[in-house]
Amino acid sequence: MTLVSDSTSVTDSTSVSDSTSVSDSAPGSRSSAWTPVCRLADLEVERGRAALLGDRQIALFLLHDGRVHAASNLDPYSGANVMSRGIVGTRGNAPTVASPMYKQVFDLRTGVCLDTQGKEQLSLPVWPVAVDDGTVFIRDGGVT
């Protein structure tokens, strides 16, 4: 079993979630709903990598448990494309990334800012991720 973002997994039966089947609209079918971004082997554990999804920069994070998360590379507080250089960690059970600029901490599953450092509440856009046959896919239009 290959783990993907949050509680979603891709198995030999190629199911992405309870409501989405890989054979219907995800990685294996190369449908327009999913975009290949890189090979899983291109990612390092707990080190961010920047990639382009259309004209938008995203940050990819491979965690120790094999889960991959995708978030905007654009730090909503500084306006700089730096999130892929953030510090990966956890808050309770939540995988997180801390901005390298002003140190706000974001939940990689939801994009919610868990520590605003005294500033207004802003979110980090995140995308559903799937891994199929060693390729990392991002769901187009799946920003949450």
Side-chain angles (χ1 to χ4, degrees):
M1 173 185 283
T2 302
L3 295 175
V4 295
S5 68
D6 197 19
S7 61
T8 307
S9 65
V10 175
T11 64
D12 291 335
S13 63
T14 62
S15 159
V16 173
S17 71
D18 293 338
S19 61
T20 307
S21 165
V22 170
S23 60
D24 292 340
S25 64
S29 69
R30 302 291 193 267
S31 168
S32 63
W34 292 88
T35 300
V37 178
C38 67
R39 300 288 300 162
L40 186 60
D42 295 333
L43 303 178
E44 292 181 64
V45 174
E46 300 213 350
R47 301 265 183 194
R49 288 285 190 261
L52 284 175
L53 184 60
D55 61 351
R56 196 168 202 181
Q57 287 189 34
I58 59 169
L60 297 167
F61 301 96
L62 173 62
L63 305 183
H64 279 291
D65 63 5
R67 294 175 192 261
V68 176
H69 293 274
S72 175
N73 199 35
L74 183 67
D75 178 345
Y77 288 93
S78 71
N81 283 303
V82 295
M83 294 307 295
S84 62
R85 296 181 182 196
I87 299 168
V88 176
T90 58
R91 291 275 173 103
N93 291 330
T96 61
V97 63
S99 168
M101 298 295 288
Y102 301 127
K103 312 304 182 228
Q104 284 82 10
V105 177
F106 298 90
D107 184 327
L108 285 170
R109 301 168 303 177
T110 64
V112 169
C113 186
L114 303 175
D115 187 349
T116 65
Q117 298 292 317
K119 299 191 181 210
E120 68 179 299
Q121 179 70 35
L122 298 174
S123 314
L124 185 67
V126 296
W127 284 263
V129 175
V131 176
D132 185 45
D133 197 27
T135 299
V136 176
F137 293 83
I138 306 297
R139 184 153 198 155
D140 295 344
V143 175
T144 60

